[in-house]
Amino acid sequence: SLLRKPVKAASASRNAVALARRDLAQSADTGNRIDLAIYEYALASALIESGQTSEAERLLIEVTSSLRSAEFDSLKRDVARREAFEIYSSARGEAASYISLLNRSQLRLAALYESRGDTARARQQYENVLVARSDDPTALAAIARLSQSGEHFAEAFDANPFSLTLVRDYQRYLSTHRAEQAEGDSAGARMRRVLIAMNRGEPHAAKTALDQLEKQYPDNDTLRTLRADLD
């Protein structure tokens, strides 16, 4: 995958899936179930990269359904007891692997649905992500984009105020919502005030709000981009 060879990545992943299914048939423990889900996710990712989305969708549904099933109830209780909700790029241990894989699989499936215009299924998957992690910035931004709701945009900006993708989505939203207001003093609220002022053609107010953010967050790439837009 890192070498940008998705066809070979899919082939290698198929072998891993076959081995994991054999191991699970021999011993249906939690570790083997997680291993199978990991390799199925890897295969789905490689298939998406090579344009084979139908099989990828089936695999992601299988992964998310498995991870959300009663077979993982003991691990879910362990996660809740430890309050272990961090998402890792390299996870160690069953709990961390479970949380990270469930998050990524649901986000990937949601993005697949969204790419083909199935907004209802996409939103359901994004909402499933928020059940486990209420402040997930990717899911919050996606729901705001799909719902075109000011309240959802506010939640998304509070989770990740400097996402340039979110900024552009909000600017498109503002083009048809001229009466939008942004209350509060969080970084997300102040960022929205910058964008609202820009949308209304109020450069002085936008620059004043942007100056305040830049003092607190110097050398921020998104703020630098907005400064260039204003200039």
Side-chain angles (χ1 to χ4, degrees):
S1 294
L2 290 173
L3 292 172
R4 307 293 184 192
K5 297 181 179 180
V7 175
K8 287 192 175 184
S11 178
S13 296
R14 287 190 192 282
N15 291 337
V17 168
L19 291 169
R21 285 178 175 160
R22 181 203 63 185
D23 291 344
L24 184 60
Q26 293 174 350
S27 176
D29 60 28
T30 302
N32 284 340
R33 293 186 191 281
I34 290 178
D35 283 348
L36 176 57
I38 289 170
Y39 297 135
E40 286 181 327
Y41 174 81
L43 176 54
S45 299
L47 291 170
I48 289 172
E49 293 299 319
S50 57
Q52 302 178 60
T53 56
S54 295
E55 185 182 359
E57 179 185 346
R58 179 183 62 76
L59 284 163
L60 289 173
I61 290 173
E62 185 174 331
V63 171
T64 55
S65 297
S66 171
L67 294 175
R68 291 168 62 84
S69 71
E71 293 165 339
F72 286 94
D73 279 353
S74 62
L75 189 54
K76 294 174 196 173
R77 287 192 293 270
D78 185 45
V79 167
R81 184 172 63 253
R82 296 183 185 183
E83 295 186 345
F85 304 113
E86 190 72 27
I87 306 301
Y88 294 94
S89 57
S90 297
R92 292 186 177 183
E94 290 182 354
S97 297
Y98 174 85
I99 295 165
S100 302
L101 183 60
L102 179 60
N103 177 272
R104 286 199 180 87
S105 299
Q106 291 179 149
L107 286 174
R108 193 107 201 206
L109 184 57
L112 194 59
Y113 286 143
E114 189 176 354
S115 69
R116 74 181 192 204
D118 193 343
T119 56
R121 287 185 178 181
R123 181 163 180 170
Q124 181 61 62
Q125 289 300 322
Y126 288 128
E127 288 175 349
N128 288 344
V129 171
L130 296 176
V131 169
R133 186 181 173 88
S134 62
D135 63 344
D136 185 274
T138 303
L140 287 169
I143 287 179
R145 181 174 60 250
L146 293 174
S147 67
Q148 291 293 287
S149 159
E151 181 180 349
H152 288 145
F153 271 113
E155 292 174 352
F157 271 100
D158 283 343
N160 188 7
F162 304 119
S163 165
L164 190 56
T165 299
L166 177 60
V167 165
R168 298 310 187 203
D169 284 338
Y170 191 58
Q171 287 176 318
R172 284 187 284 272
Y173 165 82
L174 289 174
S175 67
T176 56
H177 295 78
R178 302 280 292 182
E180 184 79 359
Q181 300 288 336
E183 303 296 334
D185 196 44
S186 66
R190 286 182 286 153
M191 176 65 91
R192 287 188 293 127
R193 283 198 287 273
V194 171
L195 299 171
I196 290 169
M198 290 174 65
N199 178 68
R200 292 177 180 170
E202 301 171 355
H204 178 72
K207 287 181 179 180
T208 299
L210 192 57
D211 288 343
Q212 294 172 352
L213 280 169
E214 287 178 329
K215 286 180 181 178
Q216 188 173 358
Y217 304 98
D219 301 320
N220 181 279
D221 288 341
T222 298
L223 296 179
R224 190 180 293 116
T225 298
L226 291 177
R227 175 70 66 183
D229 289 349
L230 275 168
D231 292 342

